[in-house]
Amino acid sequence: MEGNLNALTTIFTEFYYWVTIVMMFLIHVGFCTYEVGVSRRRNHLKTLMKNAMAIPLVTVTFYFFGWWIYFGFPNGPGIAGGLVTAPFAEAWNPLMGTHLSGVSPGETGVTPADAALWHRLNGVFWGAFLLFSITTASIISGSIIERARSGAFWIVAVLVGSVLWILDAAWGWHPQGWMVKLWGYHDAYASGVVHAIAGGAALAFLIVLGPRIGKFKPDGTPRDIPPHNVWLVTIGLFLIYTGFWGFYAACNIPLISPATIAGQITGEIWTATNIYLAPTTLSAITFNFLMSLSGGMMAGYLVSKGDPFWTFSMGLCGVISASAGNDLYHPIQALLIGAIVPTICYRLHYFVERRFKIDDAVGAVAVHGYGGFLGVVVAGFMLWGQPSSPYEGFAHINPLGNFAGAVLMFVLGFVPTFVVCKILNGMNLLRVPAKVELEGVDFALNHAFEASVRDVGAAEKAMMK
């Protein structure tokens, strides 16, 4: 009975994560739809391919080293301990394959129970984290449309998606992460771990890249470049909302016994936990997700005077800003944070655009960067004194720990991306030539398409004679 119960739990967990992966894939359908809607007609195909090809590139690189970074680096290494051995995350290890043969012959340091668990669950755990990785990289994509070279974006996508974000996840989003242990850092649904770091990287890319031709008037006043298709933008954002349900669910462990967490949780009743293995429920995050989304949409409607682009974007910003503490907030707290933080981010977007001439085509730095950063900071105050983890000896949640963590997340995205973009810019590999930008990056593809249409039309006409 006990054996069958454990098997049933494992199979349920496997199916649970598989469903979250399918749901999270909708985020990328949404990003592609959204970017095509925002870009002008002459840039559609390249815009779509730039974002879509990040999926296979981040997938392959995340397989070879991203997954290993998460398990190998929770101690820094060198801050709270050394490098952690993680055979189940090494690309060529038999445990990275999915089969049910138990411990691989000659495998050291892996118990039969661990092997059985990882053979069954490794693929879906990896898949869920991979979708977090692709999301982090794709956040940058929309902000740089219509003038960045695709190859430059792909290099940055691999850097952010398969190295930087997963390094900060090991530090602040791992049950044994040194930021959780020493600082009391709390960021349950990734305000900082995914969004602040992506926002920092997007800002660095934009500073080096420069604005689109025609974005600013000769006196420096910004021009509004409206979306090509508001309906596609709306559908894209609603697909992103939908995918976020999977994102939230994937940040939870659906069923775990207290004994599995070294007896740190009192009682014998199995529970769901957050990413830090502290008890939570799907009910709690359902309340808070919807309240923070609603707060953001209502604030967006009011502050933008009914602009659809900002109404929907600020709904997303509302969810992101409350995500750091949505496992512990009361729904009214989630509502207020989801309304107030996006309002600040909206004001910051236009201030930065006017003052520093930053052309962020989709407001990604505001929605994800500022929203994620402020969300982590607010959680430090709102949850002050709450335990960050079920493990004894870990620091409690506090404003200083979360503020330092938010700064670290943003800087970890900004600095390496800025350096890489400066190098690419120096090699003339960051931005398309001005002529290409004015003609549209699809110019050559469109001419080939039109030539083919003319050729087929002429052939058909000749056959009718």
Side-chain angles (χ1 to χ4, degrees):
M1 179 66 182
E2 184 181 350
N4 283 335
L5 181 60
N6 286 334
L8 187 61
T9 305
T10 303
I11 293 168
F12 168 76
T13 304
E14 181 184 16
F15 183 70
Y16 174 92
Y17 282 111
W18 183 84
V19 171
T20 67
I21 292 167
V22 175
M23 292 180 70
M24 281 194 285
F25 208 84
L26 289 175
I27 293 176
H28 306 290
V29 180
F31 273 131
C32 289
T33 308
Y34 179 63
E35 287 190 30
V36 170
V38 171
S39 64
R40 285 168 284 185
R41 191 178 299 276
R42 61 182 191 253
N43 299 308
H44 285 173
L45 292 176
K46 289 282 189 177
T47 297
L48 176 63
M49 293 308 294
K50 170 177 62 63
N51 194 18
M53 287 307 295
I55 295 174
L57 289 168
V58 174
T59 297
V60 172
T61 51
F62 190 78
Y63 178 87
F64 282 107
F65 47 82
W67 193 220
W68 173 75
I69 290 173
Y70 179 71
F71 289 101
F73 287 70
N75 294 325
I79 299 173
L83 191 67
V84 177
T85 303
F88 41 83
E90 295 167 356
W92 282 274
N93 195 293
L95 289 175
M96 279 290 268
T98 301
H99 50 85
L100 304 175
S101 58
V103 178
S104 303
E107 193 65 46
T108 57
V110 181
T111 67
D114 283 344
L117 184 74
W118 285 105
H119 280 315
R120 174 65 79 172
L121 297 182
N122 206 5
V124 289
F125 280 165
W126 172 82
F129 273 75
L130 168 65
L131 268 292
F132 300 147
S133 297
I134 301 172
T135 298
T136 311
S138 291
I139 288 167
I140 304 163
S141 175
S143 61
I144 59 172
I145 56 171
E146 301 190 323
R147 75 278 204 200
R149 289 183 186 271
S150 296
F153 167 68
W154 294 333
I155 290 170
V156 170
V158 168
L159 173 69
V160 174
S162 290
V163 180
L164 299 179
W165 102 270
I166 196 66
L167 181 62
D168 78 35
W171 293 349
W173 215 43
H174 185 292
Q176 298 295 323
W178 69 265
M179 289 173 63
V180 185
K181 193 179 293 183
L182 303 180
W183 289 359
Y185 181 77
H186 188 81
D187 187 11
Y189 301 99
S191 292
V193 169
V194 166
H195 300 284
I197 192 169
L203 181 61
F205 205 134
L206 290 169
I207 289 172
V208 183
L209 182 67
R212 287 169 288 181
I213 294 173
K215 173 63 183 176
F216 293 96
K217 298 176 184 176
D219 65 357
T221 307
R223 289 190 178 96
D224 184 30
I225 301 178
H228 147 259
N229 187 321
V230 176
W231 289 110
L232 283 180
V233 173
T234 304
I235 292 169
L237 278 164
F238 271 79
L239 285 169
I240 294 171
Y241 293 166
T242 307
F244 253 71
W245 285 103
F247 187 102
Y248 258 53
C251 296
N252 279 10
I253 296 173
L255 198 59
I256 196 166
S257 74
T260 308
I261 320 171
Q264 297 292 331
I265 297 177
T266 351
E268 297 180 351
I269 304 299
W270 293 17
T271 180
T273 75
N274 64 16
I275 198 81
Y276 304 114
L277 303 181
T280 189
T281 65
L282 287 176
S283 276
I285 63 174
T286 299
F287 269 134
N288 292 339
F289 180 98
L290 287 170
M291 293 294 271
S292 54
L293 173 67
S294 301
M297 290 180 72
M298 288 192 292
Y301 186 86
L302 291 174
V303 76
S304 72
K305 299 182 173 57
D307 180 281
F309 175 83
W310 278 108
T311 299
F312 302 137
S313 291
M314 289 180 66
L316 182 61
C317 187
V319 175
I320 291 167
S321 59
S323 289
N326 258 350
D327 59 326
L328 296 173
Y329 288 148
H330 187 280
I332 295 174
Q333 289 178 306
L335 172 71
L336 293 175
I337 293 167
I340 294 170
V341 172
T343 303
I344 297 170
C345 296
Y346 174 84
R347 302 290 186 200
L348 272 174
H349 170 80
Y350 284 108
F351 170 76
V352 170
E353 182 180 86
R354 287 192 304 270
R355 179 70 178 80
F356 301 102
K357 306 294 180 285
I358 301 294
D359 176 16
D360 182 351
V362 298
V365 177
V367 171
H368 299 272
Y370 307 151
F373 179 91
L374 292 173
V376 172
V377 173
V378 168
F381 286 96
M382 301 298 289
L383 304 177
W384 197 342
Q386 296 276 352
S388 63
S389 159
Y391 291 101
E392 290 181 3
F394 279 41
H396 283 199
I397 303 169
N398 65 91
L400 183 59
N402 260 34
F403 176 76
V407 172
L408 181 58
M409 297 296 166
F410 201 87
V411 169
L412 187 61
F414 184 90
V415 173
T417 305
F418 185 81
V419 172
V420 168
C421 288
K422 288 293 279 185
I423 293 170
L424 291 170
N425 196 43
M427 298 170 69
N428 201 26
L429 296 175
L430 190 72
R431 182 166 184 148
V432 298
K435 181 174 184 296
V436 174
E437 185 178 342
L438 289 170
E439 290 175 340
V441 292
D442 291 345
F443 184 77
L445 290 172
N446 286 339
H447 272 248
F449 175 80
E450 288 165 7
S452 298
V453 170
R454 283 196 300 272
D455 185 45
V456 171
E460 290 175 343
K461 190 174 179 181
M463 285 187 282
M464 293 175 66
K465 290 181 180 177

